[in-house]
Amino acid sequence: MRLNMKAIYPTSVLMCPPDYFDIEYEINIHMHKEVQVNPKKAMEQWLALKKIYEDLGIFVETLEAVKHLPDMVFTANAGFLFDKTVLLSSFKHIKERQKEVPHFEKKFQRLGFKTKQMKRYLPNGDYFEGHGDALRWGNTTVFGYGSHRSTLTGVTIASGIAGVEERSVFLQLVDPRFYHLDTCFCPIGEFALYYPGAFGINSRDTLERAWNTVEISEEDAVNFVCNGVPIQMDDDSWKFIVSKPTADLREILEKKGIEIIEHDASEFKKSGGNQRCLTIFL
Ligand code: ARG
């Protein structure tokens, strides 16, 4: 890693330590109560990710973990950030995750953000899970929706509240293994990695026709390569923090001048997340 360079995006992120992280319930097909987390290993992996950010010159804000809210580590789902405002998520799994929201709200307010509760704007039965289902790609905001988490109404309303509806793309997610957009789609500068099988046929068509995309293999997809974190450096080069990619994908990325920073997030994979889920860009 070239340490003399600094990240220009993101310049700061919010993370939550895995003090109470475990598999207390099963709300996606990756979670199995009988496959428990090794707490020591989870903490080591989380600290290693935090250190990578800090070594890149990225400031890491943290918020205190709360007992019996094991998925608070996945700060990407806290909300959607725009204009110093956070649109706080309205989770599909109310019993399991909605109680995280007041803790995130307090933290964001302390950081100087205005907050809005997505729940207020949504009809019953509609959901929006923050940056798990909303990723910026240049001037465009790409949203994911489907029957797994955020709904089409949820993402449509969110884009309207954020005032980005004219520069939004809505992609339908159809494979339960890739229940959030950030598990199967990853913009890195000019292009985006994506796993075609995760998307409905029309969404896949939109992606392939209108955008500069690089298809990844199922092997890389199930290894949550799309949940890696792209970092833009001050010389406009990119680094990509990611779990071990296949040799083929590594070659493609390196040819594009992207430096791969490998990070093992195996303990978080047991809950259906990797590096990007553990991070929200501020
Ligand atoms: N166990 C968490 C859930 O199912 C994982 C969330 C992963 N977050 C993400 N941004 N993809 O809600």
Side-chain angles (χ1 to χ4, degrees), residues 21-23 25-31 70-78 91 93 96-97 100 129-133 149 179-183 224 227 268-274 276-279:
F21 173 60
D22 59 4
I23 313 295
Y25 45 73
E26 299 174 358
I27 59 170
N28 65 53
I29 66 163
H30 306 279
M31 301 172 86
D71 281 344
M72 252 180 94
V73 291
F74 301 114
T75 53
N77 297 122
F91 285 96
H93 298 93
E96 293 84 356
R97 297 209 62 184
E100 298 172 25
E129 300 204 350
H131 283 289
D133 276 324
R149 298 300 176 92
Y179 57 96
H180 278 141
L181 180 69
D182 70 357
T183 62
F224 279 156
N227 205 251
F268 299 95
K269 224 176 146 217
K270 295 175 180 169
S271 189
N274 254 26
R276 187 71 189 245
C277 303
L278 295 170
T279 311

Side-chain angles (χ1 to χ4, degrees), residues 6-24:
K6 292 257 169 274
I8 52 167
Y9 191 73
T11 53
S12 55
V13 298
L14 175 65
M15 296 178 74
C16 176
D19 296 340
Y20 303 108
F21 173 60
D22 59 4
I23 313 295
E24 275 180 38

